Amino acid sequence: MLSRVFLLYLESLLITTLLVGSFLGLWIGLRALRRVDKTIKNRQAHLYDMLLIAVMTIPILSFAMMGILLVLKA
């Protein structure tokens, strides 16, 4: 039972990481295409902010995704 929950958490962690990573990659790419940041320091600061947001939100969204997967697999 514990290994099943752990595998479910790992699956949700992978899904959430891919979703957040693709969303942030798209956001950073669109921002680069529009040339919002003029200097390298501004681009680097924005990149660090996005990485920090990803690191903070992935575990939280992973538990939410685990709940959804648990309901769908039940």
Side-chain angles (χ1 to χ4, degrees):
M1 179 66 182
L2 186 62
S3 63
R4 189 170 166 195
V5 172
F6 182 67
L7 287 175
L8 195 62
Y9 175 69
L10 287 179
E11 183 180 351
S12 67
L13 190 64
L14 178 68
I15 292 170
T16 306
T17 303
L18 292 174
L19 286 175
V20 169
S22 62
F23 177 73
L24 290 180
L26 184 69
W27 189 2
I28 291 170
L30 288 175
R31 190 173 168 104
L33 285 175
R34 286 186 283 161
R35 299 187 192 274
V36 175
D37 299 320
K38 300 297 181 195
T39 65
I40 292 175
K41 282 195 174 205
N42 287 345
R43 282 185 225 132
Q44 190 178 24
H46 179 70
L47 179 65
Y48 288 157
D49 288 344
M50 292 301 103
L51 289 174
L52 184 63
I53 288 171
V55 166
M56 296 297 284
T57 58
I58 286 173
I60 297 166
L61 292 175
S62 180
F63 279 110
M65 183 64 73
M66 187 173 79
I68 292 170
L69 288 175
L70 189 64
V71 168
L72 291 176
K73 289 188 178 187

